[in-house]
Amino acid sequence: MSVRRLAEDQFQPAAFAFNKENAVWAEKTIKKYPEGRQQSAIIPLMMRAQEQEGWVTRAAIETIADMLDMAHIRALEVATFYTQFQLNPVGTKAHIQVCGTTPCMLRGAEGLVKVCKSKINSHAFERNADGTLSWEEVECQGACVNAPMVVIGKDTYEDLTPERLEEIIDAFSAGEGSKVPTGPQIDRVFSAPEGGLTSLTTEAPKAKSASSKAASSTSGKVDAAPVPPSEAARPKSTDAETNAALKTPATAPAAAAKNAKAAEAQPLSETTAAEPVKALASKTESTQKPALTDKNRPAGIEKPATPDDLKLISGVGPKIEAILHELGIFTFAQVASWKKAEREWVDGYLNFKGRIERDDWIKQAKALAKGGEAEYIKVFGKKPR
């Protein structure tokens, strides 16, 4: 990307102000952003300033920065970074942007550039003698299937030839640019094939009317569906969870007995009565939390005056931290001291399925217990969380 600088002082106006209509628009636009985030409106405000003045002046940049309570240098960084902002005066009647990316180049963009050099100025960004026209070469404008093309203002002019571009430039020079049709400049509709469609040339069959459907249904020629349409694509399942007789989740230990009795009374199709009961029991056992009286439960402590922020451990959020507090876990040192059996107990209690090992809670807790955030950065190369 070339270095982008503001125009020389001789071209810069002394001041800038939005006209009445744009001032109202700018105020509404700024209010779209949350309190303290109004600086996010800088790009739309700069675009509106460019549309009003034709280009982005130093005065416009500084005025918009003041409106958004920004340092002038921050606004200048935005203006000079994005090539959509014109930092020098452009043609008052038309600024032509010629796409020079591969598809357009293969389709004749070089010929369009030659036209601009001959009819406007031999150098990009330089205006013609009366200051009404200017041009530049830009990157892809998203109309590759209609290459080559140019953009003037907010409109695209596609499928161009050098001769057609000359006609367009002459029209804008004469102040009749609004009469030039936008889009494809040849016999095609948008991106459809030139000369008309080559596929989908036949009309789709008309849908049957409601009356014809009713007649066919009463004629007896169409058999009724063997199963309701809503059930037609549903796969058969022998899982206890899909049995309509089991009204409560299998994960509720207190309801396991009731589920088992319901399964015995109404077994699933194509299975014996014992099968869903076994599946249900195994499901309940596998998801049941370990007992709080288990010998492998980590030892808890009384809540200290200033407990550690366990949320600094990756994998611990506010909810998990609250559960750990209920278990008497308040410090990094406690977590760092967990043995394998204790880690497995906590993992099962939280239903983490190995997450404590995957996230390496122990290593994280040891670093935080040893030296806080600084030690964590030293060990992991990043800030906690």
Side-chain angles (χ1 to χ4, degrees), residues 115-326:
V115 170
C116 291
K117 288 182 176 181
S118 64
K119 294 189 71 69
I120 301 175
N121 195 297
S122 58
H123 298 287
F125 298 105
E126 297 289 338
R127 292 174 291 176
N128 61 352
D130 56 5
T132 58
L133 300 173
S134 58
W135 73 280
E136 65 172 307
E137 183 177 337
V138 296
E139 296 304 317
C140 184
Q141 297 297 300
C144 306
V145 74
N146 297 85
M149 55 84 69
V150 302
V151 176
I152 303 177
K154 293 184 177 180
D155 295 316
T156 62
Y157 300 84
E158 307 155 5
D159 298 297
L160 292 171
T161 62
E163 295 75 21
R164 179 54 182 157
L165 181 58
E166 288 183 356
E167 295 172 357
I168 292 174
I169 292 175
D170 291 339
F172 275 93
S173 180
E176 298 180 347
S178 59
K179 297 181 181 180
V180 179
T182 59
Q185 302 297 304
I186 59 175
D187 180 24
R188 73 190 299 188
V189 178
F190 299 116
S191 298
E194 182 178 358
L197 294 175
T198 59
S199 60
L200 302 177
T201 55
T202 58
E203 292 187 6
K206 294 182 179 180
K208 291 184 178 180
S209 63
S211 58
S212 62
K213 287 183 179 179
S216 62
S217 63
T218 57
S219 62
K221 295 181 179 180
V222 180
D223 294 333
V227 295
S230 61
E231 304 289 336
R234 179 173 293 180
K236 291 182 179 180
S237 172
T238 59
D239 294 335
E241 290 81 355
T242 61
N243 185 3
L246 305 181
K247 301 300 183 182
T248 55
T251 55
K258 293 182 180 180
N259 285 346
K261 290 180 180 179
E264 291 174 358
Q266 186 178 352
L268 294 169
S269 59
E270 301 180 8
T271 64
T272 66
E275 289 177 346
V277 177
K278 292 179 180 178
L280 185 62
S282 62
K283 178 74 173 181
T284 301
E285 292 172 1
S286 64
T287 57
Q288 190 172 2
K289 289 183 179 180
L292 291 173
T293 57
D294 192 293
K295 64 178 182 179
N296 293 320
R297 174 184 172 180
I301 63 173
E302 292 292 330
K303 183 177 181 180
T306 55
D308 292 335
D309 184 4
L310 300 181
K311 297 189 296 297
L312 292 177
I313 298 175
S314 177
V316 178
K319 183 176 179 180
I320 299 301
E321 184 184 48
I323 296 175
L324 292 175
H325 285 176
E326 292 175 359

Side-chain angles (χ1 to χ4, degrees), residues 6 14 39 42 46 56-81:
L6 299 184
Q39 294 182 2
I42 186 169
M46 278 192 181
V56 179
T57 65
R58 182 195 301 274
I61 295 172
E62 294 176 353
T63 299
I64 292 172
D66 293 338
M67 291 173 64
L68 300 176
D69 195 23
M70 294 177 66
H72 289 181
I73 185 61
R74 296 301 303 275
L76 184 63
E77 288 171 349
V78 175
T80 55
F81 180 81

Side-chain angles (χ1 to χ4, degrees), residues 357-374:
E357 298 293 343
R358 291 196 301 273
D359 290 347
D360 208 345
W361 281 21
I362 307 306
K363 186 176 181 180
Q364 293 186 66
K366 286 181 179 179
L368 291 167
K370 180 180 180 181
E373 185 175 318

